[in-house]
Amino acid sequence: MVTNLPEEVRAIWSRAILTKDPKVKLELLRQVYSKMPKHKGTENLQMNLKRQIASLEVVIEEQERKAKKKGSGGLEWAVRKTGFPQLSVVGTLGTSARAFELMTGLRTEPFRLYGSPQVGIYEAGDVPFQVVWSPVVGIGRLLLGRTTSVLQNADLLLLASADARELEDMLGVLDEIGVIPRNEDLEVDVRATASGGIIISGNSEYLSEEEVREYLRGIRIYNAQVKLSGHSKLDDLEAALLGRRVKKFIKIGYGGRFDIGDLPLMRDEVASEILRTLGLIRVYTKPPDEDVKKPPLVIARGSTVRDATLRVHRQLVETFRFARLWRAGSSSRVGLDYVLQDMDIVEIRA
């Protein structure tokens, strides 16, 4: 347990969690790892520390490379998002390349990754998804640092694997760089504060408020806001403190719902699965006396006519009279607060 760590180590651990500077955090975490007692009671913490240290090393190397490139006028290894979901195709160099090529129709060129990311468009279900080739297995440390920044920015990971070994290797690398493929959010949210004590909201069947307070006080954090959910565990609390990133994902290939070779033939189904996983829907707009517009708006599930209208033009809300909605072949007249569903067609009358 963290509370059994020596006082000196707990003090360093607290400073590491609270600092925002990656280099300072890295140095402090290295000190924690070197000074902490190594025994069965600290095995989980040792493992998490090694993961975070490895992740920070990669991130810092990439930051330093970007700074040098910027100073010399070089290209930034980054991907600017469009208004549509960004997908990262993750896996071994070969399997992720095959999936990327099948989805985008582009030819992968590994040597180009040393200069800039390779980006394409996957047209599926009327949505132009932005796709970034993001191999993590079979590449060097330099490329892994660049891929890590892309993964952290992506909306969804497509985990492409040809067999169980590839999937295992991929998940191992993701774990090392602090990326957690999971379609649920972290069960704990922690925000350090300047004062006010430890304020806990929500309840968990696995973690009591006293255990949370004991853990945080054990690493000298006396002011924080903690949000628990029904399934919060101590591991979730630790992951939140270490800054590990949870990313939504879909497996393609081995163990997944879609075979990689069939991706181009199943675009509507794949698009629906991507949007469902991300909690998004497609809403088509239709100006009066005109055809339906494409591509559709991609908005959060549970959005209303008001939300869609704001996306079209903010002034339309002020002059809004009603909307004509088409769903499953039938039409109706609705107002601003009407909740939309995937594939709805909306004609705004203002």
Side-chain angles (χ1 to χ4, degrees):
M1 291 293 292
V2 174
T3 50
N4 293 329
L5 292 176
E7 185 67 19
E8 178 191 10
V9 177
R10 281 188 280 161
I12 300 171
W13 172 234
S14 174
R15 290 166 53 202
I17 288 174
L18 295 175
T19 184
K20 302 298 182 183
D21 187 317
K23 290 185 178 180
V24 174
K25 186 185 290 287
L26 176 60
E27 177 57 31
L28 291 172
L29 289 179
R30 283 173 173 165
Q31 290 181 36
V32 172
Y33 187 79
S34 66
K35 295 175 180 293
M36 69 184 296
K38 310 297 193 296
H39 53 69
K40 190 172 182 62
T42 63
E43 282 182 352
N44 285 339
L45 182 57
Q46 289 179 55
M47 179 176 63
N48 283 327
L49 281 171
K50 286 192 287 187
R51 290 169 176 164
Q52 182 67 356
I53 288 170
S55 177
L56 282 169
E57 287 173 342
V58 169
V59 169
I60 290 170
E61 284 181 10
E62 179 59 10
Q63 288 178 343
E64 291 175 345
R65 188 203 63 81
K66 282 184 177 181
K68 290 179 181 178
K69 282 286 187 180
K70 189 174 182 180
S72 61
L75 294 173
E76 286 290 336
W77 213 91
V79 181
R80 185 183 299 275
K81 284 189 174 183
T82 65
F84 298 95
Q86 184 186 98
L87 317 177
S88 275
V89 180
V90 189
T92 65
L93 191 64
T95 302
S96 63
R98 179 168 172 243
F100 179 86
E101 291 175 349
L102 287 168
M103 295 178 73
T104 65
L106 300 175
R107 181 178 178 181
T108 54
E109 301 175 86
F111 68 90
R112 282 184 53 192
L113 294 180
Y114 288 93
S116 62
Q118 191 158 356
V119 184
I121 298 296
Y122 177 51
E123 291 277 359
D126 291 332
V127 180
F129 295 101
Q130 185 186 46
V131 184
V132 187
W133 182 29
S134 310
V136 296
V137 181
I139 61 176
R141 187 180 180 85
L142 174 64
L143 285 185
L144 184 59
R146 299 175 182 181
T147 300
T148 299
S149 64
V150 170
L151 296 179
Q152 293 177 341
N153 190 53
D155 297 306
L156 181 76
L157 309 184
L158 294 178
L159 306 183
S161 56
D163 53 43
R165 174 56 65 85
E166 283 194 4
L167 180 61
E168 182 180 356
D169 290 345
M170 181 203 323
L171 293 176
V173 174
L174 291 176
D175 186 65
E176 289 174 8
I177 61 176
V179 175
I180 306 173
R182 193 160 84 180
N183 287 330
E184 301 82 28
D185 294 331
L186 270 179
E187 301 289 350
V188 178
D189 182 50
V190 184
R191 301 180 189 277
T193 56
S195 60
I198 297 173
I199 300 174
I200 301 173
S201 61
N203 297 288
S204 170
E205 58 182 295
Y206 301 110
L207 188 62
S208 69
E209 289 191 11
E210 187 52 41
E211 286 175 310
V212 173
R213 295 180 194 279
E214 180 185 358
Y215 186 97
L216 293 177
R217 289 168 181 161
I219 53 176
R220 290 189 169 188
I221 294 179
Y222 304 109
N223 300 287
Q225 294 180 351
V226 183
K227 185 177 180 180
L228 303 177
S229 70
H231 298 90
S232 299
K233 297 179 181 178
L234 199 58
D235 286 346
D236 293 314
L237 176 61
E238 193 167 86
L241 289 168
L242 285 169
R244 292 168 68 76
R245 299 287 189 93
V246 172
K247 305 300 295 186
K248 295 185 182 297
F249 75 98
I250 292 176
K251 293 179 184 177
I252 54 178
Y254 174 84
R257 292 186 57 184
F258 313 115
D259 181 83
I260 293 174
D262 290 340
L263 273 172
L265 307 178
M266 302 169 63
R267 291 176 182 264
D268 288 342
E269 182 180 345
V270 175
S272 296
E273 182 67 6
I274 290 171
L275 294 171
R276 184 198 66 75
T277 302
L278 291 174
L280 301 172
I281 60 172
R282 290 159 289 185
V283 174
Y284 296 82
T285 57
K286 178 186 177 302
D289 304 319
E290 294 185 26
D291 294 333
V292 174
K293 297 292 184 181
K294 294 183 180 180
L297 301 176
V298 176
I299 56 181
R301 186 182 298 121
S303 293
T304 63
V305 172
R306 183 189 305 274
D307 298 315
T309 303
L310 287 170
R311 285 284 298 273
V312 175
H313 201 293
R314 299 190 68 86
Q315 288 186 340
L316 287 176
V317 173
E318 300 173 5
T319 58
F320 181 89
R321 293 187 296 125
F322 67 91
R324 178 69 62 186
L325 181 136
W326 284 267
R327 177 182 295 168
S330 61
S331 65
S332 58
R333 179 168 165 161
V334 299
L336 283 173
D337 295 327
Y338 189 82
V339 178
L340 298 167
Q341 294 182 10
D342 189 39
M343 304 298 287
D344 279 348
I345 300 173
V346 178
E347 180 183 281
I348 301 167
R349 294 297 184 105

